[in-house]
Amino acid sequence: MDINRCNTEVQNCLSSIKQLRIDETIDKCVNEAEKMLCIKENSQENTESEGDEDATRNNLKFNDKLLRRLKILSFEILDNIIVNMENRFKEMEKLDFLELFNNKKFERSNTSQNFPNHYLKKLTIFYPFFDDLKLKGELMYIY
């Protein structure tokens, strides 16, 4: 597991989502939704008879009030995603001790000299119930 790569990917994803949260992008999405509805309405008018679906379809006409509401909802959705991602992954860099379990990072020979003691120390600070000497011995055996 490469925790640094995971952290980078999360940050890249957050940056991409934040770039979507601009007026021009939201306006474009709302306009595309309006176009899609108009295309759908035109094709349905040619194939459907009068009925409940026509009444529902007529209620979905895009007016200024609906456009503003869609724009607000779009911002709220993006804000919700951004806040939740930031909260969920805000301390991900503290999990770099997970590199202890990435045996590709360490040479198989001379593991006692190359053992990543700094990661073991971070692990025992974060989770003090681990016996660091026993864990080090078991990890060296695995490496």
Side-chain angles (χ1 to χ4, degrees):
M1 167 179 268
D2 188 350
I3 197 70
N4 293 325
R5 181 168 180 248
C6 290
N7 193 31
T8 300
E9 292 298 324
V10 167
Q11 295 308 315
N12 289 342
C13 181
L14 267 169
S15 294
S16 296
I17 293 170
K18 287 177 181 178
Q19 289 175 0
L20 292 175
R21 200 196 174 289
I22 56 174
D23 283 328
E24 294 82 20
T25 305
I26 298 298
D27 288 339
K28 183 178 176 183
C29 290
V30 169
N31 290 337
E32 288 298 316
E34 184 178 19
K35 285 179 191 175
M36 288 171 48
L37 182 65
C38 290
I39 291 170
K40 185 177 177 183
E41 281 181 350
N42 290 337
S43 67
Q44 285 179 350
E45 284 175 3
N46 296 333
T47 60
E48 290 183 359
S49 60
E50 293 287 323
D52 290 335
E53 286 190 35
D54 284 335
T56 303
R57 201 171 54 237
N58 288 336
N59 290 336
L60 292 175
K61 296 282 186 197
F62 279 68
N63 56 36
D64 288 340
K65 184 178 178 181
L66 179 60
L67 290 172
R68 277 193 309 276
R69 184 67 186 138
L70 285 174
K71 191 172 179 176
I72 290 169
L73 282 172
S74 298
F75 280 114
E76 288 174 355
I77 290 167
L78 290 172
D79 288 342
N80 188 6
I81 292 169
I82 291 167
V83 167
N84 280 299
M85 283 187 70
E86 287 175 341
N87 287 335
R88 178 162 296 189
F89 298 109
K90 70 181 171 187
E91 296 185 352
M92 192 168 183
E93 66 276 353
K94 291 182 181 179
L95 300 178
D96 65 347
F97 62 80
L98 291 172
E99 291 297 317
L100 282 170
F101 308 105
N102 186 355
N103 63 345
K104 293 177 184 174
K105 294 276 186 173
F106 308 105
E107 295 177 37
R108 292 190 182 266
S109 60
N110 301 323
T111 55
S112 61
Q113 294 173 356
N114 295 332
F115 189 82
N117 287 310
H118 59 288
Y119 288 139
L120 185 62
K121 180 143 179 74
K122 285 183 177 185
L123 173 70
T124 55
I125 289 171
F126 209 62
Y127 297 105
F129 52 83
F130 278 106
D131 180 351
D132 56 341
L133 293 176
K134 185 176 179 182
L135 182 60
K136 181 177 179 177
E138 291 175 3
L139 288 171
M140 284 177 57
Y141 176 76
I142 292 171
Y143 294 159

